[in-house]
Amino acid sequence: MGLDREQIVELLNEKDPQVVSNLFAEAYRIKVETVGEEVYLRGLIEISNICRKNCLYCGIRSDNSAVNRYQLTKDEVLDAAKFAIDAGYGSIVIQGGERHDKAFAKDIRILIKKIKRLSRENPLGITLSLGEQPLEVYEDWFDAGAHRYLLRIETSDNQLYNMIHPSDPIHSFNSRVQALLDLKYTGYQVGTGVMIGLPFQTAEHLADDLLFFREFDIDMCGMGPYIEHSQTPMWSLRTLLLPHEERLALSLKMVALLRLMMPDINIAATTAMQTLHPEGREMAIMAGANVVMPNMTIQQVRKEYKLYENKPGIEDDAAISKSRLEHFLNEKNIPIGWNRWGDSLRFRNR
Ligand code: SAH
Ligand code: SF4
């Protein structure tokens, strides 16, 4: 649907519950008509909370000395990958802090190869989310078998980006955009996204984010509410934030609008939505999302991967989060794309 900036802003500001619920229903209908009824699962492995960056919003920023830093062993990651295979997820996401040492790049390459070997008959799809990397590293990991990459632009507004990041060369808006271009050039299915409800963020900023996604021609999107964390500099701005309920409502509208604007991409129902409401992810599915990433990170380290506070599922193990989600989908008669990669239709048709 060719929504223009003014219409997007108007819908983001819409308060009439009937208009909003019609928007969600329309987005859901378009989703079913375009990418089908299925929801695809990707098992999420939070491989390490070691990060060279210091983003002002993130709980695992390098300056937060209250965090115990961990790195999963290869065997721990392979065990999680086996869990995903047995559970029929079809795909995994390996996410973590940004590291630029050679040993890290090499370890990831070895892991990707081992995971591919583990599932030779029905190979697991591998998505990476390991921050900005040199082009050669993106290429190396792609050659090893990763085929999707998630790197959020966080906000498409250069000025707002600078307000939520330290002002130094490793936190530059232009490098973030360049990294997205490098990922596309390498051949990955590229996913990006933004945080919703940031301090100083307006409906106009969010409308521009959606237009940025369309202009960049993204394949996938993962976006969710910004959630304050007490061990970060942005905690001091918490009085400027929308109440949780409104932040979630705004996030759901963003999902629905993006589905109308880009019907054939994959859109994730993100964990941050679940943080603001126990059924936040399910609500996102009903507003047009078609991908969910159940957390498979082992118990021992889960509490150390807190990008934001009150992250759900920290006490759950992978099996419990999985069955809860499946129960909801079954109740709504929403089929799960078991054992399938569930690639972005937009990417396949390009
Ligand atoms: N280091 C990688 C991947 C891990 S961070 C990267 O930054 O790309 C993954 C995402 O978590 C970030 O893109 C950011 O959008 C989100 N995130 C971090 N802190 C957050 C917070 N306080 N609230 C909501 N999302 C947050
Ligand atoms: Fe590191 Fe990503 Fe957190 Fe920034 S958002 S501090 S890059 S983990």
Side-chain angles (χ1 to χ4, degrees), residues 51-55 57-62 96-98 131 154 165 171 176 305 307:
C51 188
R52 70 181 192 127
K53 280 197 170 167
N54 222 353
C55 306
Y57 43 85
C58 178
I60 64 169
R61 61 201 300 273
S62 56
E98 186 174 301
E154 314 299 359
H165 293 97
H171 296 88
R176 199 82 180 163
Y305 196 85
L307 307 172

Side-chain angles (χ1 to χ4, degrees), residues 43-50 58 60 70-72 77 92-99 104 108 111 126-131 141 148-152 154 176 222 270-271 293 295 297 301 305-308 311:
L44 176 66
I45 306 172
E46 293 155 337
I47 192 167
S48 172
N49 63 0
I50 302 170
C58 178
I60 64 169
Y70 74 87
Q71 158 87 47
L72 296 184
V77 177
I92 54 170
V93 179
I94 301 179
Q95 191 186 73
E98 186 174 301
R99 281 177 59 180
F104 177 74
I108 296 293
L111 259 177
I126 303 179
T127 307
L128 300 177
S129 178
L130 300 166
W141 292 344
R148 297 191 280 237
Y149 205 103
L150 303 174
L151 184 82
R152 288 185 176 177
E154 314 299 359
R176 199 82 180 163
T270 56
T271 318
M293 309 196 303
N295 196 330
T297 310
V301 300
Y305 196 85
K306 279 214 235 168
L307 307 172
Y308 42 84
K311 225 178 124 193

